[in-house]
Each structure stands twice: as C-alpha cells, then as structure tokens.
Amino acid sequence: MLACIPTASLFGVDADPVTIEVQVHAGLPCTTVVGGPDATCREAKERVRAAFASCGLEWPNKRVTINLSPAWQKKRGSAIDLAMAVGILLASDQLPAGSVTGYAFLGELGLDGAVRPVVGVVPLAEAAAGNPLVVPAGQLADAQLATDEVVGVGHLADLVRALRGEAPWPLPMAKPAGRHRSAGPDLADVRGQAIARKALEVAAAGGHHLLLTGPPGGGKTMLAERLPGLLPPLRPSEALEVTKIHSAAGVLPDGTGLVSLPPYEAPHTTASAVALIGGGSSQLRPGAISLAHRGVLFLDELGEQRPVVLDCLRQPLEEGVIRIHRAVGSATLPARFLLVAAMNPCPCGEAGNSRCRCQVGERLRYARRLSGPLLDRFDLRLHVPRADPDELLGSEAGESTACVAARVAAARRRAAGRGTTVNALVPGSRLDEVAPLDRAGRRLLADLLARGGLSARGLHRIRRVALTVADLEGADPPLTEEQVGTALGLRAELAALQVAS
Ligand SMILES: [Zn+2]
C-alpha cells in the first residue's frame, strides 16, 4: 500500500512543502530513501527504526521505499522524521486507512520515541499547511502563530494511540500572547549628551543610519542599546515575519510566541562572517543582519571589522535583503535594519589629545580601512566625547524613552501621511515634492555646495534628515534654515570625526 504524508523542509528563513511517499511491497527486506535527502534526512530512517523498537511498533519485514517529493528539491533537517514514521505505519497497516487524511506532521524523533522540537517551526508550520498539523508538544504555541488547527504530541506512542482512536488527543493550548521582552534600558539613564540624544531620536523617527565616533567610555554602546525602545512596536505582519526569521535561526526559545518588539542585535567584533551575514555548510541559517530585520543592528568597533564583512553590508543597506550563494543552494534573506555603528577615532581611541600613542601611519591605515561608500551611508555622523563629570553628576535625569518614543511615533505618522515609509528611504527624485526648502534654507545649502563642502548625494541626505527634524517638530515643509542647520550639525564631516587623519 502507498501512503502520502505532508510535511515540510526548511531552507534559509522559508520552508517548502514536502510529501513523504512510502510504499511497502514484497521483496527482500530493505529500506531505501530517495528524493534529494541530505545527510540528516537519510539518517531519519535509522531514528524512526529505533523509535519503532522503543514503542513496540513493527518495522515491515518487506521492501520499503521512501520518496521525499518533489524529488528535484533538496530536503534538509530532521523535521520530516515524524511524517516518515506515520507513513511507514500507514503503509504497513499498523494505522487504520483514512486515520491521517488531511494531517501534516513535523517533528524529530528520538531513539526512545520522544517527539523532539525542530529548528524553524514557525516557517515549517506555515509551509506544511496540514489540517490539523501535528507538532512537537513544546512548540505548539509557536506553530499556532502560523496556522490555526494544531495539535502537539510528546511521544510517538501517544500519537499512534490517538490516531487509532484508543486515547484522546492532547488538548490544544490557548493562543500565546505577544512575547514580553523586557522593554530594554531607558533613555532617562543617559545624562547630558544632548546632541547624541537628539541624533537617536532623529534616527528612530526617520530610519537614518547612525555612526558614532569617540573615545572608549563615551557611552556609544549605552546610546545604541536605547534605540530599539524608541522604535514603534512591530505591526502583526511584521511581527510574524521577524518571528519566522528568529525561528529559522533557532534562537527563539520554545513557547515564547510572537516577537512583537523591534529586535536588537549586537554581534561581537570577533563574530564570524557566517554569524554576521548568514550561511553555513548544510542549512542556510540567517545571520545577525537578518535577525536585526525591522530592528537595530549595532556594530561596535567598525574600524576593527574585516573588510569582507564591511563589503557584505552594502547590499542589505541598499536593498534590505542579503543574497547568499553556497554549494547547498542560494537564498535571499530579509535584512532591513537600522544600523548604528561605533568606532574609535584611532586604534587607541585617544586621537585628538595628548594621550594618543598611535603613529601617523597607523592612524592613516585605520582611517583608510573604512570605505568611503560605506561611511557615506550614514545620514547621521556624530562625535561622542567622553562625558563631562559635572554633567554626569550634576544634571537631572533626561527625558524618558516613552516621551521620546511618542514624538517618534507622531513623526512617523506624518511621513506615512505623505505616502513614504521612512524619510531615509525617500527617493532623491521625490525630494523637491516632499521636502522643499525655504529661501534661507536653500541659500545655506547652496553656499555649502559652492564651497565644495557637500556632495550631491550628501545634499539629498541632509534634506532627508532635515525633513525628519521638521516632522519631529510637527512642522510642514518648506524646510527652514534652522532645520537644515540641525541636520548639518548631525552629519559631521568625516575629517572632523577622524581627527587623526
Ligand atoms: Zn591613538
């Protein structure tokens, strides 16, 4: 008899539907798996065989052919174990015919018959589209994010009893609430630093990438950590998209439900290119830049990052995706993040004062390592000096995250009202329409251009930032000289940042 059982296989952040076809027929006892399995899929039959023995189920003493359909598509991972087990049981008449019609199955089998969690259950559940869908018990809540009718099982023996009608199904749990991530550190903790606080607010409101330079101990990391809290919560479709990515990366603890707040990723300087960009030899796993999708990516010590890593950042910054090509296949992973980067002005970090011990050559090499085009992507560039002790001790707490986030949300609503997503993405061709300048503002920029202090691309960036400044003030364009001046103040010249060079 032939059994066809739907399941799914993960690749990148998406999954493909797969059907497990099992045929048991007369012949010498032997089991063959065909249809593009990777090593893990090929081992599935050994796990299933051992699980059968543990549960007192019978492995057919005949010829068993297992086809993973469609055959042209590579299958990866262990999520197909459970469907394979059910297929063999059905094809060998150990389950009543018709008992699994419409069902789909996801789950890895342990040798003892336990149904174990799988990486990427959210995208897998979406692709498997069974009705109902059977998943590992611990991942019931996550699978429910993608599809409605889900049942969880903890053990193969329980599943067989339920399908035979000998025992009831475990009850599905209630839908999980949004993930309650701690709200993150509050902006009120940052004392002084008025310009840096303003830059954070503008970055959050307009989606402008932010570069912070300055000596160690200036609070660059402290500022970056507070940026996600200023961003609006994710919309339901965005939350599901982000949850799928985190699920596919295997970083979503089971049962946490939807990721509803913008993520924050701060990969370590020594992180490998794969950890940062994504990839891997068997599965194409999303890296930090995809985990930061719709949130904030913080890259510390930008000057210490390897050039290959910096080069890889260009495509996501431009297109919001990263295309990965490996021997196992190619995938396009989402990667639209707000980038905050920090760097020391020179290797020792003390450039500009007498404590700097770097040689001139060292400083120049350090400055040259960052390519001009990458630095040009930052709409906001700021020098963060070491905080003044009087300010740290004397001044009162700054405005709280909630206050600033409310202004950011209002500014984003104004941008949405013009039919744009965020100001940083307004095309240059639309700037005259959405960000016209008043006479004084125009003169200020014209002077700068005439003196060679601004490139054409830089001019566009200044106008976008000035538009965000106006949105935060609740003012309609034309943009004034003051708003343009604020934008100029938030985009320091590179020469001023690299004091040493
Ligand atoms: Zn130095």
Side-chain angles (χ1 to χ4, degrees):
M1 147 166 207
L2 175 71
C4 297
I5 310 293
T7 179
S9 162
L10 184 72
F11 189 62
V13 298
D14 288 308
D16 303 305
V18 172
T19 304
I20 309 277
E21 298 174 336
V22 183
Q23 190 157 45
V24 176
H25 42 114
L28 284 176
C30 109
T31 305
T32 335
V33 182
V34 297
D38 77 343
T40 321
C41 286
R42 222 172 286 123
E43 290 161 356
K45 72 171 183 194
E46 303 306 332
R47 286 191 296 271
V48 174
R49 192 196 286 269
F52 272 33
S54 303
C55 299
L57 299 162
E58 210 177 290
W59 191 265
N61 199 21
K62 291 181 178 173
R63 188 176 174 86
V64 181
T65 309
I66 301 166
N67 180 36
L68 317 180
S69 167
W72 56 267
Q73 188 183 293
K74 192 94 179 153
K75 320 299 180 306
R76 301 165 181 87
S78 54
I80 63 163
D81 289 9
L82 198 57
M84 191 182 282
V86 171
I88 295 169
L89 289 171
L90 191 66
S92 59
D93 298 322
Q94 298 183 70
L95 283 175
S99 59
V100 296
T101 309
Y103 282 72
F105 297 85
L106 291 172
E108 178 183 314
L109 279 177
L111 302 189
D112 57 353
V115 180
R116 297 201 173 137
V118 292
V119 168
V121 72
V122 182
L124 283 169
E126 198 180 38
N131 211 1
L133 174 69
V134 180
V135 299
Q139 293 185 306
L140 188 61
D142 297 332
Q144 275 174 331
L145 298 172
T147 181
D148 281 332
E149 212 179 323
V150 190
V151 282
V153 288
H155 202 277
L156 180 61
D158 295 341
L159 174 67
V160 172
R161 272 197 294 275
L163 289 172
R164 285 175 177 165
E166 297 167 0
W169 280 97
L171 290 176
M173 279 190 268
K175 251 193 185 307
R179 185 180 180 184
H180 291 290
R181 196 188 63 178
S182 59
D186 200 284
L187 199 56
D189 310 337
V190 179
R191 302 283 167 109
Q193 304 276 32
I195 298 176
R197 294 173 57 104
K198 178 74 184 169
L200 279 188
E201 183 174 339
V202 171
H208 304 286
H209 302 305
L210 172 62
L211 175 66
L212 302 168
T213 65
K220 290 171 285 186
T221 310
M222 189 177 175
L223 288 162
E225 285 169 348
R226 283 155 177 79
L227 185 53
L230 301 181
L231 297 172
L234 302 175
R235 287 192 290 266
S237 61
E238 296 171 338
L240 183 58
E241 183 190 21
V242 171
T243 307
K244 275 172 64 179
I245 299 170
H246 287 231
S247 172
V251 297
L252 194 66
D254 291 339
T256 41
L258 215 54
V259 180
S260 55
L261 296 174
Y264 175 74
E265 288 295 320
H268 196 262
T269 321
T270 57
S272 68
V274 168
L276 192 66
I277 305 297
S281 51
S282 63
Q283 287 273 2
L284 285 193
R285 289 279 173 84
I289 61 169
S290 292
L291 291 172
H293 183 59
R294 301 209 180 277
V296 173
L297 178 72
F298 176 55
L299 287 182
D300 202 0
E301 310 274 359
L302 196 65
E304 307 289 341
Q305 297 279 357
R306 279 153 300 161
V308 56
V309 167
L310 297 177
D311 275 348
C312 286
L313 282 176
R314 280 197 216 169
Q315 184 182 45
L317 286 176
E318 209 153 290
E319 303 172 37
V321 296
I322 177 84
R323 271 184 275 283
I324 303 178
H325 307 282
R326 295 283 183 279
V328 289
S330 305
T332 302
L333 310 184
R336 186 166 301 288
F337 46 81
L338 186 49
L339 176 62
V340 183
M343 62 183 277
N344 294 337
C346 69
C348 81
E350 301 289 349
N353 68 47
S354 54
R355 276 178 290 189
C356 178
R357 312 223 170 279
C358 307
Q359 306 288 324
V360 176
E362 264 180 323
R363 291 188 211 162
L364 283 175
R365 253 197 315 282
Y366 185 82
R368 261 204 305 266
R369 193 178 303 171
L370 297 175
S371 65
L374 178 65
L375 291 186
D376 208 42
R377 300 255 167 241
F378 293 96
D379 288 358
L380 306 170
R381 302 190 295 222
L382 209 63
H383 183 72
V384 182
R386 203 168 268 140
D388 181 352
D390 286 346
E391 241 181 9
L392 278 180
L393 296 171
S395 63
E396 58 213 67
E399 239 182 328
S400 71
T401 291
C403 277
V404 180
R407 271 203 305 276
V408 167
R412 283 191 167 229
R413 277 195 296 277
R414 290 181 80 86
R418 289 190 296 265
T420 51
T421 46
V422 286
N423 291 341
L425 298 178
V426 173
S429 57
R430 283 199 64 199
L431 280 174
D432 281 339
E433 173 205 335
V434 300
L437 296 154
D438 74 0
R439 185 181 295 231
R442 183 175 297 273
R443 201 172 43 236
L444 176 60
L445 288 176
D447 283 353
L448 261 176
L449 278 170
R451 275 188 281 129
L454 201 58
S455 67
R457 204 197 278 194
L459 175 70
H460 285 170
R461 293 184 181 278
I462 291 293
R463 285 177 78 173
R464 293 189 188 105
V465 174
L467 183 61
T468 305
V469 171
D471 282 343
L472 282 166
E473 290 168 359
D476 284 320
L479 304 173
T480 65
E481 185 181 16
E482 203 184 352
Q483 287 156 354
V484 173
T486 306
L488 285 169
L490 293 175
R491 186 179 161 90
E493 281 315 305
L494 291 177
L497 294 171
Q498 295 165 355
V499 187
S501 62

